[in-house]
Amino acid sequence: LETVRKLVCIVCPRGCAIDVTMDGGEIKSVRGFTCKRGEAYARTECTAPTRTLTTTVRISGARLPMIPVKTKTPVPKGKIFECMDAIKDVSVSAPVHVGDVLLRDVCGTGSDIVASRTMAKTVR
Amino acid sequence: MNTLQKDLVVIGGGPAGMAAAIEAKKNGLDDILVLERDSELGGILQQCIHNGFGLHIFGEELTGPEYAGRFIDELEKLGISYKLDTMVLSIAPDRTVTAVNGADGLMKIKARSIVLAMGCRERTRGALNIPGSRPAGIYTAGSAQRMVNMEGFMPGKKIVILGSGDIGLIMARRLTLEGAQVRMVCELLPYSGGLTRNIVQCLEDYNIPLRLSHTITQVHGGRRLEGVTVSQVDDSRRPIPGTEEYVECDTLLLSVGLIPENELSKSAGIALDPVTGGPAVDELRQTSAEGIFACGNAVQVHDLVDYVTEESRIAGRSAAMYVLGKGAKGETLKVTPGERVRYVVPQTIRRGDGAKLFFRVTNVWKGVTIEIKLGDKTIYSARKLKVAPGEMETVELAPEKLASGGGELTVSVTGGE
């Protein structure tokens, strides 16, 4: 049985409307994308959806108490809350440089948690 | 009192100010000073920890702090000087900037050129006139974003968001991830003011209901917010009696629009566009005051920081050209919003220059034609699948298009449904 999944692409702010025709778990056709990234997004979204997770972790010795972080690569959508749970327990000390790995292979996703910004060590 | 002289003073060290300063430096100015009232550069991007920034400028998807970080690094590398924790108090029409900070005290800076890059502010509860008490627990979405992402505390546990602007949508997801229960997002209009991708990845991903044509008609609670009354509204945005619903919550976030911040522009006697709330600018982003340029969200509220960067590079380059005596001269054409168009930036264009026009429409339409006329002559026409007030439209106009013909440039949206 063929079904059509209607998606709005989230790769960029353009928000293309993409129709994916599925037959069971198999993709039959993808229509409506306007770039390669959009097509790739539609294919993953219908088979194994992923998201880049962005959040914060505690930092000591910096001007602010939190440092923003992200998953270096997208993680399975179904594992987002599990990842949040794991990240909650991470805490780091300044200085931290943008891109520094703060947690390896979060929840077995193969993706590292990296710092989204540099924070210098300061006297608080 | 300290008295300084500068070729260029940039007011604001956010994405707009940094891009303008960098571009001015690259175009031959050395004596540049950026003034920032916060304790660090980067502006609002430092609290926008989500990703999706930079696809146009860097060709990759960055978080807000990463995007800001690239400009901070470049600014430092180019040796552009800046002062943090510095508040600009006023700008005189002769381009004297009065500023103050703890280290230098009061300063008068005589600037040969100025770039205004103050950004924008959020509309607050006061602008909405929501009836009810005044309990704790009502925040603008941006304040809540700063609390959660930078200062590390939660504004509450059960949350209602009024307004479906992008910050509200982003915060709906963020607070859900941090364990709060986001009960609903209410939007007065029959469509969302945010980007479609944010409806998908912030609300639909987390099953957060979006109530279109709904508003909050009563705030309940004493010391702390206890709940809100949500009502459906009719076509003229009036609450429909009998549709009231009580929703228990301890926190209400407002994401109900942004207003360009232009107290300083007013002090310099700069003409503002009553629709954008920002200075009326020409294609070089020069304001009505010679040598004073403006860019970013101080001019118009942008959807994307990439567009802010693009606009700010124009302002920075123009300021450099002005100081170096290469400022543009020539006949200017007035740009006016036509049918279904709320505003157009820039508000004037010199005939010899081309320009990229940024504009917003007044409502949602499908299958329309975007048409630009110079006087009675159509100089641009293109089909567009869908237009919406929440998504800024752009049209690149080549100089040849403006070579002949007279009158005003009018941008309209016609046809469709």
Side-chain angles (χ1 to χ4, degrees), chain B residues 44-65:
Chain B
I44 210 71
L45 284 174
Q46 299 287 19
Q47 70 181 53
C48 300
I49 65 165
H50 55 280
N51 62 333
F53 303 92
L55 275 165
H56 295 275
I57 297 290
F58 295 111
E60 59 181 309
E61 209 173 3
L62 302 173
T63 63

PDB file of all heavy atoms in Angstrom, chain B residues 44-65:
ATOM      1  N   ILE B  44      22.517  39.264  21.016  1.00  0.00           N
ATOM      2  CA  ILE B  44      21.486  38.296  21.360  1.00  0.00           C
ATOM      3  C   ILE B  44      21.865  36.877  20.915  1.00  0.00           C
ATOM      4  O   ILE B  44      21.342  35.898  21.432  1.00  0.00           O
ATOM      5  CB  ILE B  44      20.124  38.742  20.758  1.00  0.00           C
ATOM      6  CG1 ILE B  44      18.972  38.259  21.611  1.00  0.00           C
ATOM      7  CG2 ILE B  44      19.953  38.287  19.323  1.00  0.00           C
ATOM      8  CD1 ILE B  44      18.895  38.997  22.926  1.00  0.00           C
ATOM      9  N   LEU B  45      22.810  36.762  19.956  1.00  0.00           N
ATOM     10  CA  LEU B  45      23.206  35.426  19.483  1.00  0.00           C
ATOM     11  C   LEU B  45      23.737  34.559  20.616  1.00  0.00           C
ATOM     12  O   LEU B  45      23.627  33.334  20.569  1.00  0.00           O
ATOM     13  CB  LEU B  45      24.297  35.539  18.410  1.00  0.00           C
ATOM     14  CG  LEU B  45      23.856  35.977  17.018  1.00  0.00           C
ATOM     15  CD1 LEU B  45      25.088  36.172  16.146  1.00  0.00           C
ATOM     16  CD2 LEU B  45      22.927  34.944  16.398  1.00  0.00           C
ATOM     17  N   GLN B  46      24.320  35.179  21.629  1.00  0.00           N
ATOM     18  CA  GLN B  46      24.911  34.393  22.723  1.00  0.00           C
ATOM     19  C   GLN B  46      23.857  33.611  23.498  1.00  0.00           C
ATOM     20  O   GLN B  46      24.179  32.617  24.153  1.00  0.00           O
ATOM     21  CB  GLN B  46      25.702  35.291  23.683  1.00  0.00           C
ATOM     22  CG  GLN B  46      26.865  36.034  23.032  1.00  0.00           C
ATOM     23  CD  GLN B  46      28.061  35.137  22.702  1.00  0.00           C
ATOM     24  OE1 GLN B  46      27.941  33.918  22.619  1.00  0.00           O
ATOM     25  NE2 GLN B  46      29.227  35.753  22.510  1.00  0.00           N
ATOM     26  N   GLN B  47      22.604  34.041  23.439  1.00  0.00           N
ATOM     27  CA  GLN B  47      21.560  33.281  24.134  1.00  0.00           C
ATOM     28  C   GLN B  47      20.754  32.402  23.174  1.00  0.00           C
ATOM     29  O   GLN B  47      19.937  31.610  23.608  1.00  0.00           O
ATOM     30  CB  GLN B  47      20.642  34.213  24.914  1.00  0.00           C
ATOM     31  CG  GLN B  47      19.738  35.097  24.068  1.00  0.00           C
ATOM     32  CD  GLN B  47      18.881  36.003  24.943  1.00  0.00           C
ATOM     33  OE1 GLN B  47      19.397  36.722  25.794  1.00  0.00           O
ATOM     34  NE2 GLN B  47      17.567  35.962  24.756  1.00  0.00           N
ATOM     35  N   CYS B  48      21.001  32.547  21.871  1.00  0.00           N
ATOM     36  CA  CYS B  48      20.300  31.736  20.870  1.00  0.00           C
ATOM     37  C   CYS B  48      21.121  30.482  20.604  1.00  0.00           C
ATOM     38  O   CYS B  48      21.797  30.381  19.582  1.00  0.00           O
ATOM     39  CB  CYS B  48      20.101  32.521  19.584  1.00  0.00           C
ATOM     40  SG  CYS B  48      19.144  34.014  19.832  1.00  0.00           S
ATOM     41  N   ILE B  49      21.052  29.527  21.550  1.00  0.00           N
ATOM     42  CA  ILE B  49      21.967  28.380  21.489  1.00  0.00           C
ATOM     43  C   ILE B  49      21.527  27.330  20.469  1.00  0.00           C
ATOM     44  O   ILE B  49      22.249  26.379  20.214  1.00  0.00           O
ATOM     45  CB  ILE B  49      22.113  27.717  22.877  1.00  0.00           C
ATOM     46  CG1 ILE B  49      20.770  27.107  23.311  1.00  0.00           C
ATOM     47  CG2 ILE B  49      22.627  28.724  23.901  1.00  0.00           C
ATOM     48  CD1 ILE B  49      20.916  26.138  24.463  1.00  0.00           C
ATOM     49  N   HIS B  50      20.341  27.499  19.882  1.00  0.00           N
ATOM     50  CA  HIS B  50      19.860  26.547  18.876  1.00  0.00           C
ATOM     51  C   HIS B  50      20.637  26.709  17.578  1.00  0.00           C
ATOM     52  O   HIS B  50      21.344  27.703  17.393  1.00  0.00           O
ATOM     53  CB  HIS B  50      18.357  26.744  18.640  1.00  0.00           C
ATOM     54  CG  HIS B  50      17.984  28.155  18.274  1.00  0.00           C
ATOM     55  ND1 HIS B  50      17.862  29.142  19.211  1.00  0.00           N
ATOM     56  CD2 HIS B  50      17.721  28.733  17.090  1.00  0.00           C
ATOM     57  CE1 HIS B  50      17.525  30.275  18.619  1.00  0.00           C
ATOM     58  NE2 HIS B  50      17.432  30.050  17.318  1.00  0.00           N
ATOM     59  N   ASN B  51      20.473  25.744  16.684  1.00  0.00           N
ATOM     60  CA  ASN B  51      21.223  25.819  15.427  1.00  0.00           C
ATOM     61  C   ASN B  51      20.323  26.298  14.300  1.00  0.00           C
ATOM     62  O   ASN B  51      19.121  26.452  14.470  1.00  0.00           O
ATOM     63  CB  ASN B  51      21.876  24.483  15.098  1.00  0.00           C
ATOM     64  CG  ASN B  51      20.851  23.394  14.915  1.00  0.00           C
ATOM     65  OD1 ASN B  51      19.767  23.455  15.471  1.00  0.00           O
ATOM     66  ND2 ASN B  51      21.174  22.412  14.116  1.00  0.00           N
ATOM     67  N   GLY B  52      20.935  26.548  13.145  1.00  0.00           N
ATOM     68  CA  GLY B  52      20.169  27.030  12.006  1.00  0.00           C
ATOM     69  C   GLY B  52      20.681  28.364  11.505  1.00  0.00           C
ATOM     70  O   GLY B  52      20.133  28.937  10.575  1.00  0.00           O
ATOM     71  N   PHE B  53      21.742  28.869  12.132  1.00  0.00           N
ATOM     72  CA  PHE B  53      22.319  30.141  11.706  1.00  0.00           C
ATOM     73  C   PHE B  53      23.436  29.889  10.696  1.00  0.00           C
ATOM     74  O   PHE B  53      24.143  28.891  10.791  1.00  0.00           O
ATOM     75  CB  PHE B  53      22.911  30.891  12.909  1.00  0.00           C
ATOM     76  CG  PHE B  53      21.915  31.155  14.006  1.00  0.00           C
ATOM     77  CD1 PHE B  53      21.753  30.258  15.050  1.00  0.00           C
ATOM     78  CD2 PHE B  53      21.132  32.289  13.989  1.00  0.00           C
ATOM     79  CE1 PHE B  53      20.832  30.490  16.067  1.00  0.00           C
ATOM     80  CE2 PHE B  53      20.208  32.543  14.988  1.00  0.00           C
ATOM     81  CZ  PHE B  53      20.058  31.634  16.040  1.00  0.00           C
ATOM     82  N   GLY B  54      23.594  30.796   9.748  1.00  0.00           N
ATOM     83  CA  GLY B  54      24.808  30.792   8.927  1.00  0.00           C
ATOM     84  C   GLY B  54      24.752  30.041   7.617  1.00  0.00           C
ATOM     85  O   GLY B  54      25.772  29.963   6.928  1.00  0.00           O
ATOM     86  N   LEU B  55      23.573  29.473   7.258  1.00  0.00           N
ATOM     87  CA  LEU B  55      23.518  28.716   6.004  1.00  0.00           C
ATOM     88  C   LEU B  55      23.880  29.575   4.790  1.00  0.00           C
ATOM     89  O   LEU B  55      24.528  29.101   3.868  1.00  0.00           O
ATOM     90  CB  LEU B  55      22.136  28.101   5.829  1.00  0.00           C
ATOM     91  CG  LEU B  55      21.973  26.757   6.540  1.00  0.00           C
ATOM     92  CD1 LEU B  55      20.509  26.377   6.650  1.00  0.00           C
ATOM     93  CD2 LEU B  55      22.746  25.660   5.817  1.00  0.00           C
ATOM     94  N   HIS B  56      23.466  30.857   4.805  1.00  0.00           N
ATOM     95  CA  HIS B  56      23.760  31.721   3.658  1.00  0.00           C
ATOM     96  C   HIS B  56      25.197  32.242   3.702  1.00  0.00           C
ATOM     97  O   HIS B  56      25.886  32.275   2.700  1.00  0.00           O
ATOM     98  CB  HIS B  56      22.805  32.916   3.618  1.00  0.00           C
ATOM     99  CG  HIS B  56      21.384  32.531   3.377  1.00  0.00           C
ATOM    100  ND1 HIS B  56      20.881  32.345   2.120  1.00  0.00           N
ATOM    101  CD2 HIS B  56      20.376  32.269   4.240  1.00  0.00           C
ATOM    102  CE1 HIS B  56      19.602  31.990   2.222  1.00  0.00           C
ATOM    103  NE2 HIS B  56      19.275  31.937   3.496  1.00  0.00           N
ATOM    104  N   ILE B  57      25.636  32.665   4.868  1.00  0.00           N
ATOM    105  CA  ILE B  57      26.936  33.326   4.986  1.00  0.00           C
ATOM    106  C   ILE B  57      28.081  32.306   5.024  1.00  0.00           C
ATOM    107  O   ILE B  57      29.117  32.505   4.399  1.00  0.00           O
ATOM    108  CB  ILE B  57      26.978  34.224   6.247  1.00  0.00           C
ATOM    109  CG1 ILE B  57      25.943  35.353   6.134  1.00  0.00           C
ATOM    110  CG2 ILE B  57      28.371  34.796   6.499  1.00  0.00           C
ATOM    111  CD1 ILE B  57      26.231  36.430   5.096  1.00  0.00           C
ATOM    112  N   PHE B  58      27.922  31.219   5.764  1.00  0.00           N
ATOM    113  CA  PHE B  58      29.018  30.255   5.919  1.00  0.00           C
ATOM    114  C   PHE B  58      28.755  28.924   5.208  1.00  0.00           C
ATOM    115  O   PHE B  58      29.624  28.063   5.185  1.00  0.00           O
ATOM    116  CB  PHE B  58      29.284  29.987   7.404  1.00  0.00           C
ATOM    117  CG  PHE B  58      29.777  31.190   8.159  1.00  0.00           C
ATOM    118  CD1 PHE B  58      28.980  31.801   9.112  1.00  0.00           C
ATOM    119  CD2 PHE B  58      31.040  31.721   7.897  1.00  0.00           C
ATOM    120  CE1 PHE B  58      29.434  32.922   9.798  1.00  0.00           C
ATOM    121  CE2 PHE B  58      31.498  32.835   8.586  1.00  0.00           C
ATOM    122  CZ  PHE B  58      30.695  33.441   9.530  1.00  0.00           C
ATOM    123  N   GLY B  59      27.541  28.744   4.678  1.00  0.00           N
ATOM    124  CA  GLY B  59      27.224  27.486   4.002  1.00  0.00           C
ATOM    125  C   GLY B  59      27.162  26.302   4.939  1.00  0.00           C
ATOM    126  O   GLY B  59      27.288  25.156   4.533  1.00  0.00           O
ATOM    127  N   GLU B  60      27.009  26.546   6.212  1.00  0.00           N
ATOM    128  CA  GLU B  60      26.840  25.453   7.169  1.00  0.00           C
ATOM    129  C   GLU B  60      25.923  25.914   8.289  1.00  0.00           C
ATOM    130  O   GLU B  60      25.673  27.112   8.446  1.00  0.00           O
ATOM    131  CB  GLU B  60      28.186  24.984   7.722  1.00  0.00           C
ATOM    132  CG  GLU B  60      28.965  26.059   8.429  1.00  0.00           C
ATOM    133  CD  GLU B  60      30.313  25.554   8.941  1.00  0.00           C
ATOM    134  OE1 GLU B  60      30.333  24.521   9.619  1.00  0.00           O
ATOM    135  OE2 GLU B  60      31.322  26.207   8.665  1.00  0.00           O
ATOM    136  N   GLU B  61      25.429  24.945   9.032  1.00  0.00           N
ATOM    137  CA  GLU B  61      24.471  25.248  10.068  1.00  0.00           C
ATOM    138  C   GLU B  61      25.179  25.437  11.405  1.00  0.00           C
ATOM    139  O   GLU B  61      25.808  24.509  11.898  1.00  0.00           O
ATOM    140  CB  GLU B  61      23.458  24.104  10.163  1.00  0.00           C
ATOM    141  CG  GLU B  61      22.131  24.546  10.636  1.00  0.00           C
ATOM    142  CD  GLU B  61      21.105  23.422  10.567  1.00  0.00           C
ATOM    143  OE1 GLU B  61      21.470  22.293  10.189  1.00  0.00           O
ATOM    144  OE2 GLU B  61      19.957  23.672  10.917  1.00  0.00           O
ATOM    145  N   LEU B  62      25.081  26.624  11.977  1.00  0.00           N
ATOM    146  CA  LEU B  62      25.773  26.923  13.228  1.00  0.00           C
ATOM    147  C   LEU B  62      24.767  27.282  14.318  1.00  0.00           C
ATOM    148  O   LEU B  62      23.644  27.679  14.028  1.00  0.00           O
ATOM    149  CB  LEU B  62      26.708  28.123  13.024  1.00  0.00           C
ATOM    150  CG  LEU B  62      27.779  28.015  11.947  1.00  0.00           C
ATOM    151  CD1 LEU B  62      28.483  29.356  11.771  1.00  0.00           C
ATOM    152  CD2 LEU B  62      28.786  26.934  12.314  1.00  0.00           C
ATOM    153  N   THR B  63      25.221  27.196  15.577  1.00  0.00           N
ATOM    154  CA  THR B  63      24.416  27.735  16.672  1.00  0.00           C
ATOM    155  C   THR B  63      24.700  29.237  16.740  1.00  0.00           C
ATOM    156  O   THR B  63      25.679  29.720  16.163  1.00  0.00           O
ATOM    157  CB  THR B  63      24.810  27.084  18.006  1.00  0.00           C
ATOM    158  OG1 THR B  63      26.165  27.410  18.286  1.00  0.00           O
ATOM    159  CG2 THR B  63      24.659  25.560  17.960  1.00  0.00           C
ATOM    160  N   GLY B  64      23.857  29.953  17.481  1.00  0.00           N
ATOM    161  CA  GLY B  64      24.046  31.400  17.636  1.00  0.00           C
ATOM    162  C   GLY B  64      25.432  31.751  18.180  1.00  0.00           C
ATOM    163  O   GLY B  64      26.132  32.589  17.602  1.00  0.00           O
ATOM    164  N   PRO B  65      25.859  31.116  19.300  1.00  0.00           N
ATOM    165  CA  PRO B  65      27.184  31.450  19.843  1.00  0.00           C
ATOM    166  C   PRO B  65      28.327  31.148  18.856  1.00  0.00           C
ATOM    167  O   PRO B  65      29.317  31.888  18.819  1.00  0.00           O
ATOM    168  CB  PRO B  65      27.289  30.556  21.084  1.00  0.00           C
ATOM    169  CG  PRO B  65      25.872  30.309  21.487  1.00  0.00           C
ATOM    170  CD  PRO B  65      25.091  30.247  20.206  1.00  0.00           C
TER     171      PRO B  65
END
